[in-house]
Amino acid sequence: IAAAGEGGCEIAELAKISALRSLDRVDEALAAAKAYVDKHPSSVGGLVELARSYGQAGDSGQADATITQALALDPGDLSAIMLKFWPEDPNDVQKVGDIIPALQAHADKHPDVPGTWRSLARAYLMVNRIDESLELFKKAVDLKPGDDDLRSEWWTELGKQDRKEEIIKDAEKLGDMKQRSWQLRWNEAEAYAGLGRMVEARACYSAINFDESLHVDVRRRAKRAVNNLDEKIRTGG
């Protein structure tokens, strides 16, 4: 595994540590994580990887202390929250239900941090507390309105619950969508299509298709969506 150079990209460094663990080269992963954190003590991502390496090495005490340190730096970091509070199997509904009180307490302790509410919203979603989950997603979005990834997750869940009007209403507040992420714009198009507003949906998909800043696969997908809508419009007269 080739290491990133001196002062190299954090993503590359952390990916190397993760890859070492996946290959069961735990001692090397732990050494690399320690070295990285020594150089970058305020790196939450580095501390998360160090905690994971401690955990895989069987040192649960150090793992817990390290992830607590990460959350002290950024209480809303989703990876750190997952490691601290969530069960090893995040799809175990019973265990997710069990961790909700601790997750709620963490969010209450940091009420202005969107990541805490986002993680709690995901937990509520797992245990089928849908309305509460969507309210918490909205709360997180209100705290960080410029986070398109967060807003896109909220809109996706609204769409699953057939609350597409709420997506459109929120999209209208944002104004020009051209500068937003393609995922957010796609969710807007899907909402229009789901409401039978084919002209608006087509316009949204077309805008994605003609956006040369986007990856070609995204644009092709949008083009197919446009063609499908054209066929539906022709068939429906």
Side-chain angles (χ1 to χ4, degrees):
I1 300 171
E6 187 71 24
C9 173
E10 179 178 70
I11 294 175
E13 293 278 3
L14 301 185
K16 182 191 77 172
I17 296 166
S18 179
L20 286 169
R21 280 201 317 276
S22 70
L23 294 170
D24 288 328
R25 292 162 61 177
V26 182
D27 290 342
E28 293 174 68
L30 191 54
K34 286 179 179 178
Y36 187 82
V37 170
D38 285 343
K39 289 182 181 179
H40 309 279
S42 62
S43 169
V44 175
L47 288 166
V48 169
E49 290 302 321
L50 179 57
R52 286 172 173 159
S53 299
Y54 274 129
Q56 193 162 332
D59 193 339
S60 59
Q62 280 290 351
D64 188 63
T66 303
I67 207 62
T68 298
Q69 185 181 349
L71 286 171
L73 290 170
D74 183 359
D77 184 85
L78 294 174
S79 295
I81 291 174
M82 285 288 293
L83 202 55
K84 175 71 174 179
F85 296 103
W86 282 68
E88 186 173 347
D89 179 5
N91 295 312
D92 187 323
V93 176
Q94 179 62 51
K95 290 182 179 179
V96 171
D98 291 342
I99 60 96
I100 283 179
L103 204 54
Q104 178 76 60
H106 179 68
D108 289 339
K109 189 177 179 181
H110 305 281
D112 297 326
V113 180
T116 62
W117 301 111
R118 187 178 186 179
S119 189
L120 184 58
R122 290 175 175 177
Y124 277 154
L125 201 63
M126 282 293 302
V127 299
N128 207 36
R129 293 168 65 174
I130 304 299
D131 288 341
E132 292 165 281
S133 172
L134 293 175
E135 283 299 314
L136 289 178
F137 274 123
K138 183 180 184 303
K139 183 172 186 173
V141 168
D142 288 343
L143 288 169
K144 196 174 183 182
D147 189 334
D148 282 0
D149 181 67
L150 169 58
R151 191 183 296 270
S152 180
E153 184 174 357
W154 175 40
W155 283 10
T156 296
E157 298 306 329
L158 284 172
K160 289 178 181 177
Q161 301 305 317
D162 201 26
R163 292 166 63 169
K164 299 177 179 64
E165 290 283 4
E166 294 179 48
I167 297 174
I168 301 305
K169 184 178 179 181
D170 191 55
E172 289 171 347
K173 295 177 183 177
L174 298 180
D176 185 7
M177 293 287 288
K178 292 179 181 178
Q179 304 304 315
R180 315 299 296 217
S181 73
W182 76 266
Q183 294 94 337
L184 202 62
R185 293 157 66 188
W186 194 279
N187 278 329
E188 181 192 23
E190 293 280 278
Y192 277 126
L195 292 169
R197 296 169 63 175
M198 299 305 182
V199 175
E200 292 98 327
R202 190 188 189 285
C204 292
Y205 287 127
S206 293
I208 295 172
N209 176 40
F210 289 114
D211 189 341
E212 295 183 356
S213 68
L214 298 176
H215 192 280
V216 63
D217 289 342
V218 174
R219 297 176 64 195
R220 285 173 179 167
R221 182 182 171 193
K223 179 62 174 177
R224 289 195 296 271
V226 170
N227 291 337
N228 289 337
L229 282 180
D230 284 344
E231 180 62 26
K232 288 181 180 179
I233 291 170
R234 282 194 298 270
T235 301

